[in-house]
Each structure stands twice: as structure tokens, then as C-alpha cells.
Amino acid sequence: MEKLTKQEEEAMLAVWKTGEANVKSFLENMTEPRPPYTTLASTIKNLEKKGFLESRQVGNMFFYKPLVKEADYKKKFMNYVVKDYFENSYKELVTFFAKEKKITADELKEIINLIEKK
């Protein structure tokens, strides 16, 4: 699975949020500023070519549904981030966020509790 561009990721977020639908529905579920309809339609077609979406035609409309689960994409992407930026260490990742004050002590405790339950 390849890393998507920012534009493709934003489109996929709308697809995952919407479920099977047409381009107009995806556009309605995107945050501002929304891309032009034709730009999103082109991005959706590219995502289909890349194997992230599947389409079916109903009358003169195309409906698209995701072939890749959001959780699977996030997992793969996070593995790249950890490998490329944090020396393949999730400890380094958490340490970075703690030092940058992007995670609180309570959140860290919650993470520890989740780990200990597994």
C-alpha cells in the first residue's frame, strides 16, 4: 500500500466518513476549504486506479466504496512515520510528544492502562 498525497488522504477521509456514495456526497463531508467538484472527482478516479476504491455504476452515476480500511491505512502510515522519523521506536515517538507537551500525564497513564490490558 502506497502513501497517499495530502489531497488523496483528505478525499479518503471523506470516503471513510461517508461510506459508499458518489463524489457529491464525499464533497459534502469534507472540511473547508473544499476542493472543486472536478478536482475531487479526478482524485477519486486516481484512488480507484491505485486500488483504494471500487466503483459501480447505477444509471449515469458512479458510486465508490473503500477497499482499504481506515485503520489499516493509519497503521501502515504510522509504521512509516515511526521508522523514518523515530528510529523505528514507538518509545521515541511518545517521548517526542511528551517533550513537545502534546500529550498529558493522564493520557500517558491511559495508554499504559491500555497496554497492560493486552
Side-chain angles (χ1 to χ4, degrees):
M1 175 184 331
E2 67 182 275
K3 172 82 173 84
L4 299 176
T5 66
K6 182 172 175 43
Q7 185 174 338
E8 290 169 336
E9 282 184 353
E10 288 172 355
M12 281 304 298
L13 287 171
V15 171
W16 287 319
K17 181 179 180 181
T18 309
E20 184 175 8
N22 59 19
V23 175
K24 183 176 182 253
S25 296
F26 300 143
L27 190 60
E28 291 169 357
N29 277 315
M30 293 183 83
T31 58
E32 294 290 344
R34 293 182 178 122
Y37 177 90
T38 53
T39 301
L40 180 58
S42 180
T43 302
I44 293 293
K45 278 291 182 196
N46 287 338
L47 288 164
E48 182 181 20
K49 288 177 190 168
K50 289 182 175 186
F52 281 81
L53 300 174
E54 176 180 76
S55 68
R56 67 181 175 90
Q57 189 170 0
V58 178
N60 64 350
M61 291 184 71
F62 283 90
F63 288 81
Y64 299 88
K65 69 177 181 180
L67 294 177
V68 174
K69 294 179 183 171
E70 184 177 9
D72 292 342
Y73 181 76
K74 285 180 179 179
K75 181 178 177 182
K76 186 77 165 178
F77 172 68
M78 283 307 301
N79 286 338
Y80 287 132
V81 169
V82 172
K83 181 179 174 226
D84 293 344
Y85 297 100
F86 297 99
E87 301 171 15
N88 211 26
S89 167
Y90 282 88
K91 178 183 171 192
E92 291 294 323
L93 172 80
V94 173
T95 301
F96 170 81
F97 286 114
K99 285 180 181 176
E100 294 293 314
K101 296 185 169 77
K102 302 288 184 188
I103 191 167
T104 66
D106 286 340
E107 290 169 328
L108 283 172
K109 288 174 187 171
E110 197 175 318
I111 291 168
I112 291 167
N113 286 336
L114 287 171
I115 293 168
E116 289 176 342
K117 287 180 183 177
K118 286 197 171 199

